[in-house]
Amino acid sequence: MCGIFGYIGHQSSLPILVEGLRRLEYRGYDSTGVGLHDGETINVHKTVGKVNNLKQVLPKEANATMGIAHTRWATHGGVTQENTHPHASYDGKVLLVHNGIIENYRPLRAKLISKGIELQSETDSEVLAHMIGLELENGASPQDSVRNMLKRVRGTWGICVMFLDHDLLLCARNGSPLIIGQGDGEMFVSSDPHPLTSHTQRVVYLEDGDMATVTRTSIKVASKQGRSIQTNVQTLEDSWAESELGDAPHYMFKEIYEQPDALRHCITGRVDREMGTGRLGGMRLAHSTLVQAPHVRLLGCGTAAFAAEIGQMLIEKMARIPAVTHIASEYRNNDPIINTKAIYLAVSQSGETADTISAIKEIKLKGGQVFGVVNVVGSTIARLCGQGVYIHSGPEQSVASTKAFTNMVGALTVFSMQLGRSRNMSKEQGRELIQQLQQAPHLMEAYFEDVGPIDEAVDLLANAKSVLYLGRGLSAPVAKEGALKLMELAYIPCLAYPAGEMKHGPMALLEEGSPVVVVAPSDHLKEKTLLAIHECKARGAKIILIHEKGDAIAEEGDVSIAIPKIHPWLTPLLTVLPLQLMAYRTAVRLGKDVDRPRNLAKSVTVE
Ligand code: F6R
């Protein structure tokens, strides 16, 4: 969602800000703008649409060494130039970019209007700029004016503020991430680590409630109350640097094909072949917790929730204790009962999903222990949990998640083994699983050498009114993930059901030629899935079948796509690959924006 980038230093700020915006594009946005301070004046340039559109309205050169920039994903007010950030105060002395939502903006707005201030936009963010302006006019310092303003607002924010009469940037965070990159005689502000890596590896993560004064040579962090806080400079992970598109046609294509290496990265050094167990050091799980935990709860949204559902089944299979997945966006609102002895896992690629963060806070408030299963190092969820496992997918830039899904499944498999071995699972069973898990990246590569008749599947999907996805057991969440991918990329309505549920309703959708995607690896449920295939075929449906190589079930598909054979508990790592490719190629065929599907954002930082 919205992205912030700021610069104060000795270089021309304009190209740095534009490059920062470009690197934030993957988060999803619909308009963009920059504000430049040349020591005497502030100039603002904004446009609806992409950063490339903005380039057309920018000056060729600008003599400004300070500036702030923003990509906006509309929440309050339509996608218009007026609503695009940065927003200026009534007197032009304050310029502000904001991520998050100001809940009480209506009364604040009314108050400003009663004071004769004319608001230029419909946004909640603009009120903040005017409120700071009024404080400054009353003689407050930049820091106090921001602080006093923040005392009167409710909601979430990551803000970066520039002042006409002061040579500094002020940043504040509450619920929307902000990171400050420390250079030599220059500083950078960003809402995620990705745009910082080309400038510096030294960063300061702001915590909720923090406010930072950023000059060319210093970063001073203080609390809401003005108490100074030790500035903790951390080093960014190198892998964030490897995120350029290169020769690939789209990020999604690149990321699909990165899955074998990403999975290797995720499992390497985390399994003990001798003992047949997983070893997740970062979880810091006490032996007593492993042995006594009454149950496991997993939380996530979208793709992360589907990976969690697979993790849930693996935990139950390996550790024989109950595990349940919850959709994080629902969790907090249902006043959940927290067992302080249970293990809670928060699954998230970005580590910034607002719904998942709310769920974690609810669990922690009630005394529960939450472990993060997260991709982005140093992200809010990783820091909020303080313990957990990084899935190490590397940067995922396509809005549609692919390699994070398989690595979430990989990490949850290792966790299930660790839990299972501390309880019921035998060493032999653990060893066999490790051997197969270590084979999985090779098997992914083998599949990519011959992906099967994906284009024939696309022929059936591209013009479909709707598509039904079916699977059973571990393949049910894989079916959901496949449906989500096609729906979000190609805008085709898709339904995913456990195959047995098909006759309880969804079957009414089937007509002559309706495509049905069936995930049917050679596990103990295959014969039952076959029944559903026959029921669909009897109603004229065309079956796109994902099956294991050499299995006679292949004959049942109108289009049959073979994946290599693997342990039945690890099939999701392979069955999802053709589903990702089918969604990708359908979207390409339909001319859709594969990496930036409409209305969607990569980091969903508002509830
Ligand atoms: C779908 C997709 C989303 C995310 C969801 C959670 O392709 O990417 O459904 O999975 O928004 O995001 P994270 O994993 O960042 O918490």
Side-chain angles (χ1 to χ4, degrees):
M1 279 178 172
C2 304
I4 287 177
F5 201 79
Y7 177 76
I8 176 166
H10 49 78
Q11 304 187 57
S12 170
S13 58
L14 181 58
I16 295 173
L17 293 170
V18 172
E19 179 58 13
L21 289 178
R22 197 188 62 73
R23 288 183 150 234
L24 290 169
E25 280 192 299
Y26 78 101
R27 293 164 67 95
Y29 69 107
D30 37 47
S31 56
T32 176
V34 294
L36 302 167
H37 193 316
D38 62 10
E40 285 174 5
T41 53
I42 289 180
N43 289 300
V44 178
H45 310 275
K46 310 178 181 188
T47 183
V48 164
K50 302 287 177 192
V51 174
N52 272 341
N53 304 33
L54 180 68
K55 285 185 187 159
Q56 283 156 27
V57 301
L58 288 173
K60 288 277 161 291
E61 273 176 40
N63 188 20
T65 54
M66 175 160 69
I68 56 177
H70 194 258
T71 50
R72 174 174 187 254
W73 191 85
T75 54
H76 292 75
V79 182
T80 64
Q81 185 147 333
E82 292 72 33
N83 290 340
T84 303
H85 300 216
H87 292 291
S89 59
Y90 57 92
D91 55 2
K93 292 194 171 183
V94 176
L95 197 73
L96 168 141
V97 286
H98 166 229
N99 287 359
I101 289 180
I102 303 303
E103 289 161 11
N104 59 336
Y105 86 104
R106 282 180 199 282
L108 294 171
R109 195 179 162 93
K111 203 158 184 190
L112 290 169
I113 293 170
S114 73
K115 290 189 172 163
I117 291 175
E118 263 181 52
L119 284 110
Q120 309 296 318
S121 74
E122 303 156 286
T123 64
D124 52 342
S125 311
E126 187 191 346
V127 298
L128 308 182
H130 296 303
M131 287 169 72
I132 299 171
L134 286 171
E135 292 285 341
L136 273 182
E137 197 181 323
N138 286 337
S141 66
Q143 286 82 354
D144 283 343
S145 52
V146 171
R147 196 169 285 124
N148 293 344
M149 176 278 287
L150 291 178
K151 279 184 194 150
R152 288 161 49 211
V153 301
R154 268 199 333 270
T156 54
W157 56 82
I159 54 169
C160 184
V161 193
M162 190 163 75
F163 300 85
L164 182 64
D165 301 327
H166 301 271
D167 195 28
L168 50 81
L169 296 176
L170 275 185
C171 304
R173 168 189 168 141
N174 183 45
S176 280
L178 269 188
I179 306 164
I180 303 166
Q182 186 188 50
D184 294 322
E186 56 185 350
M187 302 289 171
F188 309 82
V189 179
S190 178
S191 40
D192 79 36
H194 174 50
L196 295 174
T197 48
S198 49
H199 302 291
T200 179
Q201 299 294 113
R202 299 193 307 267
V203 296
V204 175
Y205 290 95
L206 294 190
E207 301 293 343
D208 281 353
D210 284 357
M211 214 178 98
T213 305
V214 183
T215 68
R216 289 176 168 72
T217 52
S218 67
I219 304 168
K220 288 199 177 110
V221 184
S223 70
K224 262 193 268 198
Q225 293 74 24
R227 198 170 21 87
S228 92
I229 295 171
Q230 166 116 25
T231 310
N232 181 10
V233 182
Q234 301 185 33
T235 306
L236 273 180
E237 256 219 339
D238 279 347
S239 66
W240 279 97
E242 309 153 10
S243 55
E244 292 304 310
L245 187 56
D247 294 335
H250 299 99
Y251 278 107
M252 185 177 178
F253 178 92
K254 175 174 179 269
E255 289 159 9
I256 288 175
Y257 282 89
E258 279 173 353
Q259 286 175 104
D261 276 344
L263 184 59
R264 271 188 198 104
H265 215 131
C266 173
I267 58 181
T268 302
R270 288 172 157 178
V271 286
D272 180 337
R273 288 175 75 138
E274 176 55 31
M275 297 304 290
T277 186
R279 239 200 278 121
L280 294 172
M283 297 285 280
R284 285 191 236 119
L285 270 164
H287 188 67
S288 56
T289 312
L290 285 169
V291 175
Q292 289 163 15
H295 57 247
V296 181
R297 297 270 194 257
L298 302 96
L299 300 126
C301 297
T303 290
F306 302 147
E309 284 183 19
I310 293 168
Q312 159 194 327
M313 291 183 213
L314 293 176
I315 290 165
E316 293 203 340
K317 284 179 194 303
M318 295 188 210
R320 306 303 299 152
I321 57 168
V324 179
T325 297
H326 298 270
I327 298 292
S329 53
E330 282 291 296
Y331 194 69
R332 185 180 68 155
N333 307 322
N334 293 332
D335 196 11
I337 300 161
I338 302 302
N339 184 327
T340 53
K341 292 206 169 75
I343 297 173
Y344 292 86
L345 300 176
V347 187
S348 174
Q349 187 286 128
S350 63
E352 302 295 350
T353 301
D355 292 316
T356 311
I357 292 172
S358 301
I360 296 169
K361 287 185 176 163
E362 177 74 15
I363 298 164
K364 290 185 73 164
L365 187 78
K366 293 178 174 171
Q369 278 200 80
V370 195
F371 300 83
V373 180
V374 173
N375 190 31
V376 179
V377 176
S379 56
T380 304
I381 293 179
R383 284 175 305 119
L384 194 59
C385 295
Q387 54 203 356
V389 45
Y390 282 121
I391 63 168
H392 291 315
S393 303
E396 192 182 66
Q397 300 227 51
S398 169
V399 165
S401 192
T402 52
K403 60 178 179 168
F405 174 80
T406 36
N407 271 25
M408 285 166 182
V409 172
L412 289 168
T413 306
V414 176
F415 169 74
S416 309
M417 270 182 213
Q418 189 170 348
L419 192 60
R421 283 286 291 124
S422 345
R423 303 176 74 123
N424 282 331
M425 201 166 75
S426 71
K427 196 195 275 183
E428 288 63 39
Q429 222 179 347
R431 282 180 178 163
E432 191 200 342
L433 270 167
I434 289 175
Q435 192 268 334
Q436 292 269 316
L437 182 62
Q438 289 179 326
Q439 275 300 309
H442 303 291
L443 298 175
M444 284 174 159
E445 278 159 354
Y447 171 69
F448 285 137
E449 270 167 29
D450 175 12
V451 297
I454 298 285
D455 285 331
E456 284 178 38
V458 174
D459 291 341
L460 292 177
L461 298 173
N463 297 312
K465 271 200 293 193
S466 65
V467 183
L468 185 59
Y469 281 72
L470 302 176
R472 272 178 187 268
L474 285 162
S475 299
V478 176
K480 290 188 195 172
E481 173 58 5
L484 177 68
K485 287 290 93 98
L486 184 66
M487 184 169 58
E488 67 183 333
L489 294 176
Y491 319 145
I492 299 171
C494 295
L495 276 182
Y497 269 85
E501 276 294 291
M502 204 247 328
K503 54 191 173 301
H504 298 293
M507 199 146 83
L509 285 179
L510 298 184
E511 295 172 352
E512 198 58 41
S514 302
V516 177
V517 179
V518 184
V519 185
S522 312
D523 58 17
H524 68 294
L525 296 167
K526 187 185 72 177
E527 294 305 322
K528 283 188 182 292
T529 308
L530 194 54
L531 297 177
I533 294 177
H534 288 159
E535 286 159 3
C536 292
K537 281 169 64 159
R539 281 146 191 98
K542 294 277 184 215
I543 305 296
I544 299 168
L545 181 66
I546 314 301
H547 65 91
E548 280 182 24
K549 213 173 204 149
D551 192 327
I553 196 175
E555 290 165 16
E556 303 288 342
D558 294 279
V559 177
S560 295
I561 299 171
I563 50 130
K565 193 157 180 47
I566 194 167
H567 189 289
W569 292 357
L570 302 179
T571 54
L573 293 170
L574 298 179
T575 50
V576 77
L577 304 180
L579 304 188
Q580 294 168 343
L581 283 173
M582 274 159 43
Y584 170 76
R585 289 209 203 157
T586 306
V588 171
R589 170 110 45 111
L590 295 173
K592 306 294 185 209
D593 188 346
V594 179
D595 285 333
R596 319 259 172 271
R598 70 179 180 207
N599 303 335
L600 297 180
K602 184 69 181 161
S603 263
V604 187
T605 50
V606 293
E607 280 189 25

